[in-house]
Amino acid sequence: MAKAAKKKQPNNFFKFIKWFWILFITGVALAAILFLSASWGYLGPLPTYESLENPQTNLASQTISSDGKLLGKFYLDDNRTPVNYEDLPENLVNTLIASEDIRFRDHSGIDWFGTLRALFYLGNRGGGSTITQQLASQIYVGTKSRNPFERIKQKAKEYVISTQLERRYTKEEIIKMYMNIYDFGNNADGIRSASRIYFGKEPIDLKIEESAMLVGMLQNSSLYNPLRRAERTKKKRDIVISQLARYDFITETEKDSLQGLEMKINYNPESHSVGIATYFRMYLQRFMNGWIKKNPKPALEGERDKWNLYLDGLKIYTTIDSRMQKNAEDAVSAHMSNLQAEFFNQNTPDRNKTAPFLDVDKSEIDAILEQAVKTSDRWRFMKDKGKSEEEIRASFNVKREMTVFDWKSETHEKDTILTPMDSIRYYKSFLRTAMMSMEPQTGHVKAWVGGIDYKHFQYDNVIQGTRQAGSTFKPFVYAAAIDQLRYSPCYELPDVRYCIEAGKHGNMEAWCPDNSSDKYSGKMYTLKEGLANSKNTITAQLMDRVGPRSVVSIVKNLGITRDILPVPAIALGTEDINVYEMVGAYGAFANQGVYVKPVMVTRIEDKNGTVLYEYVPETKDVLNKDVAYAMVDLMKGVTESGSGMRLRHSSLKNSTVYKEIITGYPYGFTNPIAGKTGTTQNNSDGWFMGMVPNLVTGVWVGGDNRAIHFNSISYGQGASMALPIWALYMKENYKNKDLGISDGDFPKPDNLSIEIDCSKVVNEQSEDNTQPDEDLKDLDF
């Protein structure tokens, strides 16, 4: 028996060896068949050669400022902006390799040692996927299937694609592609978006501990989300740092020091409604949609036949200067929050029972609110859902939790409970604004602020909104007189009530404009004094002499596209004009009479850097140099002795208005400044147009409706509502010498043919008569 047992053992051993090799060879054969089937496309289509050479990923289009800063992006689901390998810091690359694929530099797409280890330990000691495999999975394989058979097919395709990628790309290119493709959560698609969103910096500036956190997120960006699971994410970061020490990228001492650091997140969300230049970016969206319609995309196999702003990774180079844009937004925020506080103060229930409306009856208020209701998103949404008008109206009176705009909050938002109707009235109470700044010689728009907060007030008052221009229209009348009649700024006219009779210049009845003070000194005023003091009587006489058709002709040549009725009343700014066109028109005065159409986009490139569009300046000679210089000289008088004189004050005046709403006052400007204030009837609109030799800026402030305004001209005039924004903006600009904003005088033409030196003109006006009628009434200078 014992001998029989001994004879049996060799047979069992050989049987084991036999079955081992049978199973091994069968396994290898099955694996070979699996991979061959995958490579031949039997397990599903593989990417074509072309798609491997040019993998298609959705790329966000970038908006780039004139100083090279990223203003924002246009994207749908993928907020992805690619970076080059050279833009990745060495610590990030080392961290990626140490954590994900230490033999990355040595294998050809598949790490067989790692694969066998993962199989033997069932993944408990790390996975077997290489960086190349993870890239293949991200681009071509897609979401991991839960079906084990489907997952095996996916894995086979992943192996095949990985080897193909390794043959076509360098190791550096594979790392770059992988870091650009991964979704880090919170709209952070790709390493550049992740760096900016989580740390507020470019990838090249990442520290080791920051790189470790981002690499740790590669395993699962939802599980290791630093905003929602900070503690878990830090633990993962520390594991990644340990891997760096394990493979000698850092020392043990450095490891301990880095793991001891707190995880500091500088969260900067990227969306269309937050960030810098939001109103401008929305204008740009409309501009690009129009451009895309007119410019078809070159047809390539497998690609869209039209450019897609949200998917094609276009680079849009703009004229906006990010530094000046920030200065503009800061100036708007500082003054408008201050101005709004006083507006609320004057519109408490005990001071104004119809707040925020003034000088209107109940029926007019009801009509304003009714229009707001019917143009609201709520009305449109419920109407689309098939709700009856009765149901829709009822919904406007049900209290709801909502987040509304609030100047007092650090985030400019607060949570409250209001009915939708109450929220409409609440939002009506906020004053609105618009500001645009342009280089007159090139037409390059340097700053664009369309309102106080894009998220809550999306109407762009720079280009969408038009309002009465008030006295800012008067320079066009003066320009016509100087151009056609060869008047000089020293030409004198009497301050007397003046009428243009019925039937003349298209008048249906006599037009007899009053000075805003209803006073007429009878004294002689030079044109420079008349414009500085905004004398309506002087403007009326000039309008009669040149005729409204001449004025309209000049205005049209200066880029105002709106139809303007050629009647005398336009002289006082009754026509609605937007800030965009007004700045363009004033630019011709500063540019020696040459109108340059405002430019916002200089160049568009595709994702590969191919230039698709370059702008061509649109210019027109409107006034000769002498006339333009004379107009600049006229408007310099506004800031030297007229309604803009507060720009020159260097000490605080004893006035309630100055203390309450003239933000940042006194300003103490000493350099040459040309400008014009404007105030419309009932103080509904306040304007200031300010110019230095190489920058023209327009500011408008007013309510959503003309019935929303200050009761007193002291508060509601352009010099109080709009001028402070210009002053704050320019003071910040001048602090940065790199911006190159001129503080010198306007260039004077050689052999100037128009007399601008009025020192010999005898002017016997009383002190009272030298006060501006429209814009400086009731102010203590």
Side-chain angles (χ1 to χ4, degrees):
M1 293 293 292
K3 289 180 179 180
K6 285 180 181 178
K7 286 181 180 179
K8 219 170 187 180
Q9 284 179 359
N11 290 335
N12 290 339
F13 175 74
F14 286 118
K15 188 181 290 186
F16 171 78
I17 295 297
K18 172 185 171 183
W19 280 107
F20 171 79
W21 284 108
I22 289 172
L23 292 173
F24 178 77
I25 293 171
T26 301
V28 171
L30 288 174
I33 292 170
L34 179 67
F35 291 126
L36 285 171
S37 298
S39 64
W40 292 335
Y42 293 147
L43 301 184
L46 290 173
T48 62
Y49 175 83
E50 290 77 14
S51 64
L52 283 171
E53 289 293 316
N54 298 285
Q56 293 298 308
T57 56
N58 294 334
L59 301 178
S61 292
Q62 304 173 69
T63 302
I64 302 168
S65 70
S66 62
D67 56 319
K69 301 297 181 182
L70 182 67
L71 294 176
K73 303 177 187 178
F74 296 108
Y75 62 91
L76 293 177
D77 298 320
D78 297 335
N79 178 22
R80 181 177 292 104
T81 304
V83 295
N84 295 320
Y85 181 81
E86 295 75 22
D87 298 321
L88 300 176
E90 184 180 6
N91 68 63
L92 178 66
V93 175
N94 292 340
T95 304
L96 175 65
I97 291 173
S99 177
E100 299 295 311
D101 188 1
I102 192 59
R103 285 173 289 279
F104 174 71
R105 300 286 185 187
D106 303 320
H107 63 65
S108 299
I110 300 171
D111 181 4
W112 293 109
F113 178 83
T115 301
L116 292 173
R117 181 195 62 203
L119 289 171
F120 187 81
Y121 290 105
L122 300 178
N124 292 326
R125 294 193 180 183
S129 291
T130 64
I131 292 173
T132 315
Q133 286 176 263
Q134 294 176 47
L135 173 62
S137 177
Q138 288 280 329
I139 298 180
Y140 301 111
V141 178
T143 307
K144 294 179 180 179
S145 175
R146 294 185 178 182
N147 184 308
F149 297 106
E150 284 295 321
R151 183 64 190 131
I152 291 172
K153 288 168 59 177
Q154 286 182 332
K155 205 67 181 175
K157 290 171 64 177
E158 184 182 295
Y159 275 51
V160 171
I161 295 170
S162 296
T163 58
Q164 292 178 343
L165 287 172
E166 287 276 351
R167 286 199 294 267
R168 287 172 172 80
Y169 293 100
T170 65
K171 293 291 186 180
E172 289 75 18
E173 289 173 327
I174 288 171
I175 286 179
K176 177 197 74 171
M177 292 166 66
Y178 181 52
M179 296 308 294
N180 281 329
I181 197 68
Y182 191 78
D183 179 1
F184 290 87
N186 298 301
N187 281 335
D189 298 295
I191 188 63
R192 189 181 189 197
S193 293
S195 301
R196 290 172 59 88
I197 288 174
Y198 292 121
F199 300 112
K201 59 178 66 174
E202 293 296 323
I204 196 67
D205 299 319
L206 288 170
K207 299 177 181 178
I208 294 178
E209 65 274 17
E210 294 168 342
S211 293
M213 189 205 86
L214 293 174
V215 168
M217 294 177 70
L218 293 173
Q219 189 175 42
N220 187 326
S221 58
S222 296
L223 185 64
Y224 301 110
N225 185 325
L227 303 182
R228 298 179 181 177
R229 299 181 174 91
E231 187 176 345
R232 177 178 288 178
T233 305
K234 183 181 182 301
K235 287 180 180 178
K236 181 62 178 176
R237 181 204 71 172
D238 292 345
I239 292 172
V240 173
I241 291 173
S242 295
Q243 289 292 97
L244 283 169
R246 177 183 177 184
Y247 295 112
D248 298 325
F249 288 108
I250 59 175
T251 65
E252 286 293 324
T253 303
E254 289 173 322
K255 181 200 79 171
D256 295 337
S257 176
L258 290 168
Q259 289 179 337
L261 295 174
E262 291 296 320
M263 193 172 67
K264 296 181 180 179
I265 300 297
N266 178 18
Y267 185 53
N268 295 274
E270 290 186 353
S271 75
H272 305 305
S273 61
V274 298
I276 195 171
T278 46
Y279 287 96
F280 174 76
R281 281 154 43 198
M282 288 306 101
Y283 158 78
L284 198 58
Q285 183 183 53
R286 298 190 298 273
F287 172 90
M288 288 302 299
N289 288 338
W291 179 84
I292 287 169
K293 286 181 180 178
K294 298 176 183 177
N295 295 270
K297 185 178 183 180
L300 294 175
E301 184 179 349
E303 291 193 4
R304 293 175 287 270
D305 59 355
K306 291 184 179 180
W307 293 109
N308 191 306
L309 180 62
Y310 309 98
L311 305 176
D312 285 339
L314 300 175
K315 292 181 180 179
I316 308 158
Y317 293 88
T318 74
T319 59
I320 295 292
D321 187 294
S322 67
R323 300 159 295 180
M324 296 173 71
Q325 179 68 28
K326 184 179 186 303
N327 291 343
E329 292 181 7
D330 288 347
V332 165
S333 183
H335 179 61
M336 292 304 294
S337 59
N338 195 28
L339 189 68
Q340 189 65 51
E342 179 57 29
F343 187 75
F344 280 148
N345 182 51
Q346 294 186 22
N347 282 276
T348 56
D350 59 314
R351 299 182 69 176
N352 180 12
K353 293 181 180 180
T354 60
F357 309 103
L358 198 63
D359 301 327
V360 289
D361 58 32
K362 186 178 183 304
S363 63
E364 291 173 296
I365 294 174
D366 289 342
I368 294 170
L369 295 176
E370 175 70 6
Q371 183 184 22
V373 166
K374 288 194 171 183
T375 56
S376 68
D377 290 337
R378 170 176 291 276
W379 183 283
R380 184 167 55 252
F381 177 78
M382 294 186 73
K383 199 75 173 176
D384 290 343
K385 291 290 185 181
K387 301 294 183 182
S388 67
E389 184 168 326
E390 184 180 357
E391 290 176 300
I392 297 173
R393 290 190 181 279
S395 75
F396 277 86
N397 295 305
V398 178
K399 287 190 174 183
R400 289 176 171 80
E401 292 182 356
M402 59 180 71
T403 301
V404 297
F405 180 77
D406 180 29
W407 275 120
K408 294 179 181 179
S409 167
E410 185 176 345
T411 61
H412 291 168
E413 288 185 327
K414 70 176 181 181
D415 295 328
T416 187
I417 298 176
L418 292 172
T419 69
M421 181 58 76
D422 288 338
S423 73
I424 288 175
R425 188 181 286 269
Y426 174 75
Y427 276 107
K428 287 288 184 185
S429 66
F430 282 93
L431 297 173
R432 315 299 170 87
T433 189
M435 175 186 182
M436 192 180 104
S437 195
M438 183 190 79
E439 188 176 76
Q441 290 77 22
T442 62
H444 288 192
V445 174
K446 295 299 182 181
W448 177 305
V449 186
I452 57 176
D453 184 276
Y454 180 78
K455 185 176 181 180
H456 293 276
F457 305 90
Q458 297 189 359
Y459 190 73
D460 186 351
N461 290 291
V462 167
I463 198 165
Q464 290 178 312
T466 58
R467 295 296 285 259
Q468 286 187 347
S471 291
T472 56
F473 193 90
K474 288 179 180 177
F476 305 134
V477 180
Y478 280 69
I482 293 174
D483 184 45
Q484 296 178 24
L485 305 177
R486 308 306 292 174
Y487 287 168
S488 85
C490 306
Y491 187 82
E492 294 183 328
L493 289 170
D495 177 25
V496 295
R497 195 165 191 267
Y498 190 86
C499 291
I500 298 178
E501 63 269 23
K504 189 176 184 181
H505 300 314
N507 268 348
M508 297 297 292
E509 54 186 41
W511 182 63
C512 308
D514 297 322
N515 285 330
S516 63
S517 62
D518 294 326
K519 296 178 181 177
Y520 312 93
S521 66
K523 304 294 184 179
M524 299 298 289
Y525 273 71
T526 64
L527 297 190
K528 190 169 185 177
E529 293 165 340
L531 186 64
N533 293 287
S534 214
K535 291 287 184 180
N536 292 342
T537 54
I538 305 298
T539 307
Q541 293 174 69
L542 293 177
M543 174 58 85
D544 191 19
R545 298 186 184 196
V546 299
R549 293 189 181 278
S550 297
V551 176
V552 170
S553 176
I554 283 182
V555 166
K556 289 293 184 182
N557 285 327
L558 290 174
I560 307 296
T561 59
R562 186 179 179 85
D563 289 335
I564 297 177
L565 192 64
V567 295
I570 63 172
L572 304 186
T574 56
E575 291 297 320
D576 290 347
I577 303 176
N578 61 35
V579 172
Y580 168 82
E581 291 187 346
M582 188 66 86
V583 171
Y586 269 65
F589 297 136
N591 191 34
Q592 300 184 321
V594 179
Y595 168 76
V596 182
K597 186 177 180 179
V599 176
M600 283 69 72
V601 177
T602 57
R603 189 169 79 256
I604 301 171
E605 295 178 356
D606 69 10
K607 64 181 180 181
N608 299 314
T610 303
V611 176
L612 306 174
Y613 164 85
E614 280 190 295
Y615 91 103
V616 177
E618 296 182 39
T619 66
K620 181 185 290 186
D621 291 336
V622 181
L623 304 168
N624 69 44
K625 293 181 180 180
D626 291 1
V627 173
Y629 185 77
M631 285 305 305
V632 168
D633 185 70
L634 277 173
M635 288 186 280
K636 284 166 66 176
V638 173
T639 67
E640 292 167 354
S641 61
S643 54
M645 192 168 67
R646 63 185 61 181
L647 291 171
R648 306 291 184 188
H649 295 169
S650 56
S651 59
L652 187 65
K653 297 297 179 180
N654 185 24
S655 165
T656 302
V657 177
Y658 286 111
K659 294 176 181 178
E660 291 178 345
I661 66 168
I662 311 302
T663 315
Y665 178 85
Y667 305 118
F669 286 101
T670 57
N671 57 293
I673 299 169
K676 186 69 188 82
T677 57
T679 310
T680 62
Q681 190 173 9
N682 296 328
N683 315 311
S684 294
D685 306 279
W687 290 77
F688 183 69
M689 304 296 299
M691 300 188 293
V692 296
N694 63 350
L695 195 67
V696 177
T697 305
V699 183
W700 166 86
V701 176
D704 175 67
N705 186 279
R706 291 187 56 80
I708 302 166
H709 57 82
F710 280 103
N711 188 41
S712 165
I713 195 172
S714 298
Y715 293 93
Q717 62 181 293
S720 296
M721 292 210 294
L723 178 145
I725 293 176
W726 186 92
L728 294 170
Y729 167 65
M730 291 300 293
K731 283 179 76 71
E732 289 304 309
N733 285 343
Y734 280 128
K735 288 179 183 178
N736 188 343
K737 299 300 181 183
D738 292 339
L739 294 177
I741 307 302
S742 173
D743 59 1
D745 207 347
F746 294 82
K748 184 178 180 180
D750 296 332
N751 304 314
L752 182 64
S753 62
I754 299 175
E755 180 61 63
I756 62 169
D757 184 3
C758 304
S759 60
K760 297 181 181 180
V761 177
V762 179
N763 196 337
E764 299 178 349
Q765 302 170 92
S766 65
E767 182 179 353
D768 180 66
N769 288 333
T770 62
Q771 293 299 311
D773 276 306
E774 178 189 15
D775 290 317
L776 301 184
K777 181 183 174 185
D778 301 329
L779 296 187
D780 178 19
F781 275 173

